[in-house]
Amino acid sequence: MEAYCFSLSSPHSYFSLHSKHHSSSFSLSTSAPISFSLKPPPDSNNSASPAPAPAPFRRPSKPLKIRTTTTPPPNPKPAPISNPLRNPFHSSNSLTNKLWLTSKLSPPPPPPPPPLPFEAESEAEISEEDVEDSEGGVEGESSDDRTQFRQPGKIFVGNLPGWVKKQEVSEFFRQFGPIKTVILIRGHNDTERNAGFGFIIYDGETAENSAMKAVVFDGIEFHGRVLTVKLDDGKRWREKTLEREKWLHGNDEKEYRSTWHEERDGSRKEFQKVTETEPENWQEVVRAFERIKKPARKEYGLMIKYYARRGDMHHARQTFESMRARGIEPSSHVYSSLIHAYAVGRDMEEALHCVKKMKEEGFEMSIVTYSIIVGGFAKVGSADAADNWFKEAKGRLPSLNAVIYGSIIYAHCQACKMGRAEALVREMEEQGIDAPIGIYHTMMDGYTMIGNEEKCLIVFERLKECGFSPSIVSYGCLINLYTKIGKISKALEISRVMKTLGIKHNMKTYSMLFNGFVKLKDWANAFSIFEDITKDGLKPDVILYNNIVKAFCGMGNMDRAICIVKQMQRERHRPTTRTFLPIIHGFAKIGETRRALEIFDTMRRNGCIPTVHTYNALILGLVEKCQMEKAVRILDEMNLAGVSPDEHTYTTLMKGYASLGDTEKAFRYFTILKNDGLEIDVYTYEALLKACCKSGRMQSALAVTKEMSAKKIPRNTFVYNILIDGWARRGDVWEAADLMQQMRKEGVQPDIHTYTSFINACCKAGDMLNAAQIIEEMEARGIKPNLKTYTTLIHGWARAAFPEKALKCFEEMKVAGLKPDGAVYHCLMTSLLSRATVTQSYVYSGLLSICKEMIESEITIDMGTAVHWSRYLRKIERTGGELTEALQKTFPPDWTSHNILAVNCEIETADPVIDDHGDDDIVYYSSESDNDEYTRDEHHGNTGDDF
């Protein structure tokens, strides 16, 4: 027998399988679990031949239940064998007796119990199927005497309110005698005759007398209605009995069906067909449901399930309440569908409320319901809650299946708890449950999230060893892995392998490749992927359009990004909040606050409600331009709009004030963050430490690090870089050295920024020997010095009065393949010019060669630097010379068009910090690109651009 394989992408396929039942099959309740086989039973019209299930007959919409008060007559002449409505369970040679071999695979249903003389029917059954009056009579009796069809002790009650409950009616009529059952009928076959009526059956030997006493109450007022109370005359039961006899026996040529049954069954079949063939056309599905004159529990359940798959929890609840208003009580399957709707809509609080209501009404949770709850918590990222419900299911259910295991494994993979996920996979295999291919994909996605390439490839190879053929999802997991870890070349290799195997890309895999190139800022290859999409005839979806908008914003082409948004709208794609986020941030980053706010208003007009992420993007752009007052105003507007700031909002403001060295305001927002009960992580402390170190308050920085230790927040490389840079600014090489040793003890690996900061501390202290040793240690660890490292070292040798060492370091930098920038030339030229009068002649020749390189590189200095250098030139060459002529070619164009002496006097009085001895950090602020300290702790991949 083949086994079902459920995909993790639809974690409740098991639910949809078990909740399906057809109107042409028996509805038998059993406590034993039922398993299904993919192999259908062979068709057979002969009851003597063995078959897996008695499927060749058709069941009427309700089993025949006839109540009798007299001895039943002899059985009528049996119908011909070819009649498909004969009940095979009445045969002495039943098929189920011969299915003992397959009973473990598909247990046969138990035979129906014998009918009781006065069996009471529930309100739900009557309102769901045919309206049955339950008037006494004998099956097949043709006498016109209605008294033979009467049931003693039964009365008819008419003109009842539609909202009345059975308990109220029972309490009202109980004064005449003990009541056996109350049957309320809120609807009729003909919807135009719906008036609300019912039947009361008295119990005991005095049942007939009690009914006679109740008839006296004919015309009494009950809840504002004048009741009609009559004795049951048996007329309706006689007519229904005759109709059912004709319906059941019929003839061999044509089955007799009533007009109402044909109309209702036709509308039911049409509704079921629309839900299966046109699930996306929700308007047609709703119209097909409304055409059913009297929907039963099955139709209501299908409608709730349809809304559940769409995540439309509001309409699902509305349909559920409408079903209960018609008197149809829900089943466990209907409750599970409603819980599924809330789980898909990510409203787990209301889903748990439905579970509580379900238990209060006496329904036991099945494995389907547990799978829905576990999968719902997995989607909202609550792995602990999902684990608790999984343990409850394991304790209450006799066995679990691959669906619920897939849901709990998915929850732990999304939480990056891969150890727990591996244990669950092992537990599932030990219980003999075969893992479907969806679980392999879930594990690969989990390893992708933590960047574990090795184990992800092991799962992929194991997938093929277990007999599964890798699909587009399998290769998509690998492409997603390589694009996230930055190995885009391997992602393209996977793409080529897919093409050789005949597997075509879909929008998701193309979007992964496109986004991978966008992260690398490789715009040309990114848009070549977009051309491949158009060649394959695929239409871009919202996700791809969002990535295209992000690409244009990354390129700085904001107008083109706005055009892409308009193109989305023309193609009937609704822009989301993520569409406008990069545009808002892009305009704010370049200082165009007005246009950023215009896009913000456009987003609102398009029906996108601003979220905390939208406001954060606007604040981040303003902070990056150091416009802190406007950023605070946006924070005030955010609070007025009812959007609560999160920890990222306050951390961004703290970073802004930290870059300005405003420690007081950084601590103020840190206090607000703590008072609001928001999560404080290592990034928050980094912003606070940066503010302390930038302003030189190292004692406050030490207090912050003590608080981090008290809260057991480990210090990472960025934290140590900030602290080392803070001590380096003060020239305290001993504290910086202690931090380097503490880093090694804690197992935190120093990077290029750490070494550069420590070299800066050594240079400030004049310990150039230690700085040279750090360079050797870097090379031994495989870390190559970058442009900032050489600039710091050159500045250190120049300050230590070793111009020849500075020139040698400059040459080593060029040999290493690094191209000098304006900061390097400014540092080297300033140092050499200040000592050219007291050094040897090779310094003069070095100055000339550096001037020629600057001229060839077309480097032009600013006016302040030109005035500063001209003072040294007058000391070196009082009447001008070769060096003066060469160096003046790097001066700004307006150097000779103004009064040099006047400019000199103005600059010398207005800018005293130009002097080399006035500011040791002049090298770091000599160009516009180096406007911040060189240990900038950007956590999103921007740190590598600083050195």
Side-chain angles (χ1 to χ4, degrees):
M1 184 182 80
E2 299 180 21
Y4 277 105
C5 177
F6 301 97
S7 175
L8 191 63
S9 59
S10 60
H12 307 305
S13 57
Y14 184 89
F15 160 73
S16 61
L17 173 65
H18 282 255
S19 61
K20 183 183 289 185
H21 60 90
H22 300 278
S23 60
S24 61
S25 63
F26 282 104
S27 178
L28 299 172
S29 62
T30 176
S31 61
I34 300 177
S35 59
F36 296 87
S37 172
L38 286 175
K39 298 180 180 179
D43 296 333
S44 175
N45 293 328
N46 190 355
S47 62
S49 59
F57 60 91
R58 183 181 300 177
R59 171 186 175 264
S61 57
K62 187 173 184 64
L64 181 59
K65 294 181 181 178
I66 301 177
R67 297 166 179 79
T68 61
T69 57
T70 61
T71 304
N75 292 330
K77 183 179 179 180
I81 296 177
S82 58
N83 185 6
L85 291 174
R86 284 193 63 188
N87 193 343
F89 294 117
H90 293 169
S91 175
S92 60
N93 189 15
S94 176
L95 285 175
T96 57
N97 296 331
K98 299 184 179 182
L99 294 179
W100 61 271
L101 184 60
T102 58
S103 60
K104 293 183 179 179
L105 302 177
S106 180
L116 298 176
F118 301 102
E119 183 178 357
E121 296 183 59
S122 65
E123 173 188 354
E125 290 177 346
I126 293 174
S127 60
E128 178 180 337
E129 301 292 346
D130 300 330
V131 179
E132 184 177 315
D133 293 339
S134 301
E135 297 182 31
V138 180
E139 181 181 1
E141 188 169 349
S142 59
S143 175
D144 292 336
D145 188 6
R146 296 180 181 176
T147 58
Q148 295 183 6
F149 291 91
R150 284 190 64 249
Q151 180 176 340
K154 183 177 180 181
I155 62 173
F156 168 82
V157 182
N159 201 27
L160 288 169
W163 49 265
V164 72
K165 299 294 183 183
K166 291 186 351 181
Q167 184 179 359
E168 299 179 22
V169 178
S170 177
E171 290 177 356
F172 184 77
F173 284 95
R174 188 173 290 146
Q175 56 186 312
F176 305 110
I179 294 177
K180 181 178 181 180
T181 184
V182 176
I183 302 172
L184 291 184
I185 300 175
R186 292 186 175 87
H188 194 270
N189 298 345
D190 187 358
T191 55
E192 297 179 358
R193 294 174 57 186
N194 287 345
F197 58 93
F199 300 92
I200 299 175
I201 304 173
Y202 286 96
D203 195 10
E205 297 178 355
T206 61
E208 187 66 22
N209 293 333
S210 300
M212 295 294 295
K213 294 178 183 178
V215 173
V216 181
F217 269 54
D218 183 31
I220 195 171
E221 185 175 350
F222 178 72
H223 289 295
R225 294 286 191 97
V226 178
L227 297 182
T228 301
V229 185
K230 297 180 180 180
L231 285 175
D232 177 36
D233 59 0
K235 175 182 177 181
R236 291 177 56 82
W237 182 247
R238 182 181 66 83
E239 293 176 354
K240 189 168 288 294
T241 302
L242 295 176
E243 182 181 2
R244 284 186 172 177
E245 286 181 359
K246 294 172 62 178
W247 179 24
L248 288 173
H249 293 294
N251 53 59
D252 294 339
E253 298 177 358
K254 183 179 179 181
E255 179 186 352
Y256 173 78
R257 301 283 288 172
S258 66
T259 304
W260 180 79
H261 278 95
E262 290 179 356
E263 291 178 356
R264 187 179 69 167
D265 288 350
S267 57
R268 282 179 170 181
K269 292 179 180 177
E270 182 183 358
F271 169 65
Q272 188 172 357
K273 180 181 178 181
V274 171
T275 55
E276 294 175 355
T277 58
E278 302 180 58
E280 299 298 329
N281 191 354
W282 65 271
Q283 294 178 337
E284 184 61 31
V285 173
V286 173
R287 282 196 293 265
F289 177 74
E290 292 175 348
R291 283 195 290 267
I292 304 175
K293 292 185 178 180
K294 186 184 175 186
R297 184 193 293 128
K298 175 184 176 182
E299 283 70 45
Y300 277 111
L302 287 175
M303 198 65 202
I304 295 172
K305 186 194 299 184
Y306 174 77
Y307 284 129
R309 291 174 179 173
R310 295 171 59 89
D312 193 347
M313 49 189 177
H314 303 293
H315 282 93
R317 186 74 188 196
Q318 181 182 359
T319 306
F320 180 83
E321 297 298 337
S322 176
M323 180 189 71
R324 302 200 74 161
R326 290 184 61 92
I328 304 175
E329 295 299 328
S331 63
S332 61
H333 298 299
V334 178
Y335 262 118
S336 297
S337 297
L338 184 61
I339 295 169
H340 187 203
Y342 284 113
V344 175
R346 299 176 183 269
D347 189 353
M348 295 309 298
E349 182 179 355
E350 192 63 31
L352 294 181
H353 178 72
C354 291
V355 171
K356 181 180 178 182
K357 190 71 175 176
M358 179 180 176
K359 291 181 178 180
E360 290 175 355
E361 296 186 8
F363 294 106
E364 293 293 333
M365 292 183 64
S366 64
I367 191 171
V368 177
T369 316
Y370 277 113
S371 299
I372 292 171
I373 295 296
V374 173
F377 279 114
K379 288 182 179 178
V380 298
S382 181
D384 294 334
D387 212 12
N388 292 335
W389 282 94
F390 176 77
K391 291 177 180 177
E392 180 180 331
K394 191 161 55 172
R396 293 190 176 186
L397 299 177
S399 61
L400 303 180
N401 58 10
V403 177
I404 191 170
Y405 268 108
S407 298
I408 189 63
I409 290 170
Y410 174 78
H412 287 292
C413 287
Q414 292 299 305
C416 297
K417 299 179 180 178
M418 298 308 298
R420 175 63 177 157
E422 292 173 2
L424 287 168
V425 174
R426 191 180 304 109
E427 176 185 325
M428 181 181 64
E429 292 174 346
E430 289 174 355
Q431 294 183 5
I433 302 174
D434 293 331
I437 192 171
I439 292 183
Y440 289 91
H441 295 158
T442 303
M443 296 295 292
M444 292 175 66
D445 186 57
Y447 289 126
T448 298
M449 294 179 68
I450 64 175
N452 194 330
E453 178 184 358
E454 180 182 358
K455 286 195 174 182
C456 185
L457 293 176
I458 290 175
V459 175
F460 180 74
E461 294 299 328
R462 185 60 179 165
L463 180 148
K464 294 189 288 184
E465 291 174 2
C466 291
F468 293 107
S469 297
S471 62
I472 182 65
V473 181
S474 310
Y475 288 109
C477 291
L478 291 180
I479 292 175
N480 190 29
L481 168 70
Y482 289 125
T483 53
K484 282 191 174 181
I485 64 178
K487 297 182 179 180
I488 194 68
S489 59
K490 288 192 175 182
L492 293 175
E493 184 179 348
I494 296 296
S495 176
R496 288 190 291 268
V497 172
M498 287 173 56
K499 291 181 180 179
T500 56
L501 295 175
I503 301 176
K504 294 184 178 180
H505 281 278
N506 57 15
M507 284 306 305
K508 289 185 178 180
T509 53
Y510 272 130
S511 297
M512 292 174 189
L513 290 172
F514 186 90
N515 198 29
F517 283 115
V518 169
K519 287 181 179 179
L520 297 177
K521 298 183 179 180
D522 190 348
W523 317 117
N525 282 321
F527 286 104
S528 67
I529 296 295
F530 181 70
E531 292 178 359
D532 293 339
I533 294 174
T534 55
K535 289 179 182 178
D536 289 348
L538 298 175
K539 293 184 178 180
D541 56 1
V542 176
I543 297 176
L544 182 60
Y545 272 123
N546 289 347
N547 289 334
I548 295 174
V549 170
K550 184 179 179 181
F552 280 118
C553 292
M555 297 170 62
N557 195 344
M558 312 303 298
D559 295 330
R560 182 61 176 154
I562 296 174
C563 293
I564 293 297
V565 176
K566 294 179 180 179
Q567 183 178 346
M568 287 179 64
Q569 295 173 334
R570 287 195 299 268
E571 295 183 5
R572 303 297 179 89
H573 289 297
R574 183 179 179 182
T576 62
T577 308
R578 288 183 175 271
T579 310
F580 295 98
L581 269 178
I583 305 178
I584 294 173
H585 178 258
F587 278 125
K589 188 175 180 179
I590 61 179
E592 297 190 17
T593 311
R594 183 182 60 81
R595 296 199 64 182
L597 293 175
E598 288 177 358
I599 298 298
F600 190 79
D601 295 335
T602 303
M603 182 187 71
R604 285 177 170 174
R605 289 194 296 270
N606 279 272
C608 299
I609 301 176
T611 63
V612 63
H613 305 292
T614 314
Y615 285 104
N616 286 349
L618 194 57
I619 291 173
L620 179 61
L622 295 172
V623 167
E624 289 177 352
K625 294 298 291 184
C626 297
Q627 299 179 1
M628 299 306 300
E629 294 182 359
K630 293 182 179 179
V632 173
R633 285 201 296 268
I634 296 298
L635 178 64
D636 296 336
E637 293 179 9
M638 186 178 179
N639 290 320
L640 290 175
V643 180
S644 300
D646 59 2
E647 57 271 11
H648 300 291
T649 312
Y650 292 116
T651 303
T652 303
L653 291 172
M654 289 170 61
K655 287 182 179 179
Y657 285 116
S659 62
L660 298 176
D662 194 340
T663 312
E664 180 182 355
K665 291 184 178 179
F667 271 96
R668 181 192 304 173
Y669 285 104
F670 178 76
T671 306
I672 295 174
L673 190 150
K674 288 173 57 177
N675 294 338
D676 289 349
L678 299 175
E679 181 183 0
I680 300 177
D681 54 9
V682 66
Y683 302 110
T684 309
Y685 282 111
E686 285 177 17
L688 204 58
L689 286 172
K690 187 176 179 181
C692 296
C693 295
K694 188 70 179 289
S695 60
R697 296 174 58 177
M698 298 308 298
Q699 297 301 322
S700 299
L702 292 177
V704 173
T705 56
K706 289 181 180 179
E707 184 176 345
M708 290 179 63
S709 301
K711 292 189 176 182
K712 297 182 180 180
I713 298 178
R715 287 180 281 187
N716 55 18
T717 307
F718 296 106
V719 173
Y720 277 109
N721 289 349
I722 295 170
L723 292 173
I724 293 173
D725 181 60
W727 291 113
R729 288 173 180 274
R730 301 180 63 173
D732 195 336
V733 68
W734 302 108
E735 291 289 346
D738 290 341
L739 287 171
M740 290 287 289
Q741 292 180 0
Q742 190 173 355
M743 261 184 99
R744 297 186 180 99
K745 289 180 180 179
E746 294 181 2
V748 181
Q749 297 298 326
D751 57 5
I752 183 64
H753 315 289
T754 314
Y755 284 116
T756 306
S757 297
F758 188 68
I759 290 172
N760 188 31
C762 295
C763 292
K764 291 284 184 71
D767 190 358
M768 297 308 299
L769 182 61
N770 197 7
Q773 291 177 354
I774 293 297
I775 293 291
E776 295 177 359
E777 182 181 343
M778 288 175 59
E779 294 176 349
R781 289 178 174 267
I783 301 176
K784 295 182 178 180
N786 60 8
L787 195 60
K788 277 288 185 181
T789 310
Y790 280 112
T791 305
T792 305
L793 198 59
I794 291 170
H795 188 225
W797 285 118
R799 291 181 73 252
F802 289 98
E804 65 279 1
K805 295 280 188 178
L807 287 172
K808 182 180 179 181
C809 188
F810 179 73
E811 296 298 329
E812 290 177 356
M813 180 185 67
K814 292 191 291 184
V815 171
L818 298 175
K819 184 179 180 180
D821 59 355
V824 177
Y825 285 119
H826 181 278
C827 170
L828 190 59
M829 287 294 295
T830 303
S831 301
L832 295 179
L833 284 172
S834 63
R835 293 169 177 83
T837 56
V838 294
T839 54
Q840 299 178 0
S841 60
Y842 70 89
V843 174
Y844 186 86
S845 60
L847 285 171
L848 287 175
S849 63
I850 293 172
C851 287
K852 293 179 181 179
E853 290 182 13
M854 292 178 64
I855 295 171
E856 292 175 357
S857 300
E858 297 181 354
I859 294 178
T860 302
I861 61 175
D862 56 86
M863 183 64 71
T865 305
V867 173
H868 181 59
W869 287 358
S870 65
R871 294 190 314 210
Y872 293 117
L873 286 175
R874 284 196 298 272
K875 294 178 182 179
I876 299 170
E877 299 178 342
R878 295 185 180 275
T879 59
E882 184 181 2
L883 180 60
T884 302
E885 294 177 359
L887 194 58
Q888 285 184 352
K889 293 180 180 179
T890 63
F891 286 3
D894 55 350
W895 171 256
T896 57
S897 61
H898 294 81
N899 188 347
I900 303 302
L901 294 177
V903 172
N904 287 344
C905 295
E906 181 181 355
I907 297 299
E908 287 178 7
T909 55
D911 193 11
V913 297
I914 291 294
D915 189 11
D916 183 46
H917 301 285
D919 187 5
D920 290 336
D921 289 338
I922 189 172
V923 61
Y924 304 116
Y925 307 98
S926 58
S927 64
E928 185 179 357
S929 61
D930 298 318
N931 200 18
D932 200 357
E933 75 278 1
Y934 58 86
T935 54
R936 195 175 301 165
D937 56 328
E938 299 293 341
H939 307 296
H940 303 288
N942 297 333
T943 316
D945 297 337
D946 297 332
F947 286 99

